[in-house]
Amino acid sequence: MFGVVPRKLWSQVCPPDDDNRIRMNMNCVLVDTGSDKLLIETGIGNKWPPKHSAMYGIDRARPLAETLFEQTGVTAGEITIVVNTHLHFDHAGGNTRIDADGNAVPAFPNARYFVSRAELDHAEHPTERDRASYLPDNWRPLVDSGQLEPRDDDYEVVPGLTMETIAGHNRSMQCWRLQRDGVTMFGFADLVPTRAHLRLPWIMGYDLYPVETLAAKKRLIPEAARNNWLCLFYHDPDEPVCRLREGEKEFIPVPYREEEKDLS
Ligand SMILES: [Zn+2]
């Protein structure tokens, strides 16, 4: 998760277990516009055989649809739009679920699913380096059902929510920008997966184009601090929503707290 950064450094911030794994979340976002109930990302899903589940240490009390209902009262059938920043299994894994016959079927039966056309194309023709991240069961059932709608490199999902392609992690991953009542929330997706990745050289070994990741971080992190954006760190296990403050040497994440909810 930290590329060229020495273990001695990152392990102080993200202590690994005996198998060298660190804690990570998949922080999906629900947006209710009044007319649409929209889900950004769907997590890692529950199609995993026990062997892989143990290997990744997938540990969760409930599947996404149950958590969604418990925390928001929204059912899977009420979701009208699902957006994926890209199709890696830890972002699009909950797009589908296994039905009683053992087939992968859409997990949100009434939703349109949006993903960039370039990303869909890449997912169908990955390189040897990133093939393991693309599991076709996460999108092909949506193509078959007619629910997948390929989109442009930059597009508007609904008024106030836009997607923008930012190269680095790959060539077609998108970040999202939600603007409402003068507040901007920015989803960094895998550009800055956790708060620890705010440090410029802390870039994932998974990235196909790390120098482009660096350039995008140098542009967007100061912009986020300057404009007081709420930042969503998709994989952060503890404080996924933060504002950024410029420190002497680096940008410091300031967790978004309960009491702020009334303001924004
Ligand atoms: Zn990814």
Side-chain angles (χ1 to χ4, degrees), residues 77-236:
E78 289 179 276
I79 298 292
T80 55
I81 299 175
V82 173
V83 181
N84 292 131
T85 62
H86 59 309
L87 290 170
H88 283 172
F89 65 70
D90 52 328
H91 295 251
N95 283 3
T96 56
R97 60 178 180 84
I98 299 291
D99 72 2
D101 300 323
N103 300 314
V105 296
F108 302 94
N110 302 312
R112 305 153 72 194
Y113 288 71
F114 298 167
V115 69
S116 112
R117 187 174 294 110
E119 173 66 10
L120 180 61
D121 193 51
H122 178 66
E124 289 287 358
H125 308 95
T127 69
E128 286 77 3
R129 196 168 185 272
D130 61 353
R131 190 182 301 279
S133 298
Y134 288 109
L135 309 178
D137 264 358
N138 290 332
W139 70 85
R140 281 194 197 148
L142 309 167
V143 176
D144 295 343
S145 72
Q147 285 170 265
L148 191 68
E149 300 183 22
R151 292 295 171 124
D152 292 340
D153 290 351
D154 300 301
Y155 71 96
E156 184 178 67
V157 182
V158 291
L161 176 63
T162 52
M163 306 296 291
E164 51 207 273
T165 294
I166 295 174
H169 189 52
N170 63 18
R171 280 258 177 266
S172 44
M173 189 196 77
Q174 296 177 317
C175 292
W176 53 269
R177 190 185 294 252
L178 178 65
Q179 286 164 304
R180 202 172 193 173
D181 301 330
V183 178
T184 296
M185 187 170 194
F186 192 86
F188 281 89
D190 278 349
L191 177 65
V192 184
T194 74
R195 288 171 297 159
H197 293 84
L198 285 166
R199 298 172 175 95
L200 291 176
W202 292 45
I203 291 171
M204 286 195 279
Y206 294 102
D207 283 15
L208 299 183
Y209 310 102
V211 174
E212 291 178 50
T213 299
L214 178 64
K217 287 173 74 173
K218 286 170 102 162
R219 175 168 68 85
L220 286 164
I221 291 172
E223 195 180 342
R226 221 171 26 242
N227 297 303
N228 211 26
W229 291 353
L230 283 170
C231 302
L232 191 283
F233 302 118
Y234 180 71
H235 286 302
D236 199 287

